[in-house]
Amino acid sequence: MSYQDHEKAIQGSLNFIEQHLTNELQINILAKHVGYSRFHFQRIFRKIIGKSIAEYIRERRITQSARRLITTDQRVIDIAMTYQFNSQESFTRAFKKVYGMTPGDYRKLLRKLVSKGEFIVSTKNNAPNGWIMTGESPFDYETGLDNRIVHSGNNSAYLRSKDENARGFATLMQQIKADQYRGERVRFSAFVKSTDVKESAGLWMRVDHSSGEVLAFDNMMNRQIKGTNEWNHFSVVLDIPIKSEVIAFGVLLNGSGQIWMDELGFEVVDDSVPVTEQSPTEGLSNEPVNLNFEDNIITR
């Protein structure tokens, strides 16, 4: 089974986890859901996501419980039980490891900020530090940080169209020198959530020579994100040739809709992880066809 098949299976398991965060999630059930053995599932999950299944589920439950602390009046113990913690004490210990304070203190602090209007979703075209928003029609889009819809931690980044008539595309991106990655295989990954994406969205990465020649490229055109989807994990993998000068990467939104990205990764991987580069010959015929145009004649 190929790496892409494994990644697709893990994406299926992530969807299942997202839908059942308040239910008991047993590893053997998750493995069975995607047709893997328990051991194989655990190994593939860690390889693709970078953490164990238990760690991932715990982090997602903590993140969602933090949202409830701010947006509801539920008791801490009830939130803890909802997200499958055995006691308020175990929930508090896990929560403090992520947010550095108890659930009660977090609720008090964040609610004060909410009341002052300081804890809101940004609606300005302010790209996060280190990122730029550009594209074919960036004025039809907006970007910023969102501290209500997150996969882990306190913020995600979003990119969204200003209205349903947005055309062209926009991207939230950055570019870096290729120096320390030359001769390596690099994976750019992220958790992405989407709402009403009409055309397409996806991660992308491009490797350029100093002359402007594109040495490697992938924008997930053969595995586009469309419509409305909960958080899931995606990646692009490229080899960085020795003559590379610049690596550019980011997330792209084509047409109307909104996407969020969180927990991004940019790492060197070994040869067991295949590249996702789009082949310039993909979809091409092996031989010339219909050279006399006779195949187009429609008989009646």
Side-chain angles (χ1 to χ4, degrees):
M1 187 173 290
S2 69
Y3 181 87
Q4 284 81 8
D5 291 332
H6 288 319
E7 188 170 49
K8 188 174 181 179
I10 295 304
Q11 289 172 354
S13 71
L14 293 178
N15 281 331
F16 186 86
I17 289 170
E18 205 66 25
Q19 295 165 13
H20 297 86
L21 283 173
T22 59
N23 304 124
E24 184 179 0
L25 286 167
Q26 297 180 357
I27 294 177
N28 61 325
I29 299 299
L30 293 172
K32 184 177 180 181
H33 178 72
V34 295
Y36 286 175
S37 69
R38 178 187 176 105
F39 173 77
H40 187 58
F41 177 60
Q42 289 176 299
R43 185 174 65 84
I44 295 300
F45 191 98
R46 181 179 285 278
K47 182 174 183 178
I48 291 176
I49 303 301
K51 60 187 72 173
S52 72
I53 302 163
E55 289 172 330
Y56 177 83
I57 293 173
R58 179 169 287 247
E59 287 179 6
R60 286 299 296 139
R61 285 172 168 166
I62 287 293
T63 300
Q64 292 303 94
S65 67
R67 304 303 103 184
R68 288 208 183 189
L69 286 167
I70 300 168
T71 58
T72 75
D73 292 320
Q74 278 187 288
R75 297 184 306 164
V76 173
I77 182 61
D78 292 334
I79 294 175
M81 294 301 175
T82 295
Y83 285 100
Q84 298 295 307
F85 287 89
N86 294 326
S87 66
Q88 184 167 331
E89 289 73 21
S90 63
F91 174 61
T92 298
R93 284 195 301 271
F95 194 93
K96 285 181 69 175
K97 288 183 68 174
V98 176
Y99 290 98
M101 63 184 76
T102 67
D105 289 341
Y106 181 85
R107 170 177 268 171
K108 291 176 184 177
L109 174 63
L110 272 298
R111 281 195 169 178
K112 286 182 179 179
L113 294 180
V114 169
S115 66
K116 294 179 181 179
E118 297 174 12
F119 189 78
I120 58 175
V121 176
S122 172
T123 56
K124 299 179 181 179
N125 289 340
N126 293 328
N129 288 339
W131 296 81
I132 60 172
M133 187 180 75
T134 185
E136 185 179 10
S137 53
F139 294 111
D140 290 333
Y141 296 84
E142 56 191 10
T143 187
L145 296 177
D146 191 331
N147 48 30
R148 295 178 187 264
I149 298 176
V150 298
H151 187 266
S152 182
N154 295 312
N155 294 300
S156 67
Y158 67 84
L159 181 62
R160 67 185 173 209
S161 60
K162 291 182 179 179
D163 57 55
E164 295 182 356
N165 300 315
R167 296 185 177 182
F169 71 88
T171 178
L172 185 61
M173 61 162 289
Q174 59 177 279
Q175 46 187 352
I176 61 174
K177 294 179 180 179
D179 299 23
Q180 70 183 78
Y181 298 102
R182 289 178 184 144
E184 303 283 5
R185 180 166 293 183
V186 170
R187 176 171 57 195
F188 169 49
S189 62
F191 283 91
V192 180
K193 173 183 168 71
S194 65
T195 297
D196 298 328
V197 173
K198 186 174 182 181
E199 298 295 334
S200 64
L203 305 182
W204 64 272
M205 180 162 56
R206 192 185 70 231
V207 184
D208 295 340
H209 186 268
S210 58
S211 66
E213 176 190 2
V214 178
L215 303 177
F217 177 68
D218 179 31
N219 64 353
M220 287 181 57
M221 283 300 292
N222 58 355
R223 53 197 193 284
Q224 302 171 351
I225 300 170
K226 293 186 177 185
T228 299
N229 302 278
E230 280 301 328
W231 288 107
N232 217 315
H233 189 265
F234 302 91
S235 64
V236 295
V237 183
L238 296 178
D239 285 329
I240 314 300
I242 296 299
K243 60 180 180 178
S244 303
E245 293 292 333
V246 175
I247 304 173
F249 57 93
V251 64
L252 179 145
L253 175 61
N254 182 25
S256 61
Q258 179 165 1
I259 52 177
W260 293 259
M261 62 176 180
D262 202 352
E263 287 195 85
L264 281 62
F266 193 89
E267 59 187 334
V268 173
V269 295
D270 59 37
D271 292 344
S272 67
V273 180
V275 296
T276 58
E277 180 178 6
Q278 295 176 19
S279 170
T281 62
E282 186 174 345
L284 298 183
S285 174
N286 292 325
E287 299 286 344
V289 297
N290 195 22
L291 297 182
N292 59 6
F293 306 115
E294 297 301 318
D295 288 346
N296 293 336
I297 295 177
I298 300 175
T299 58
R300 302 191 180 193

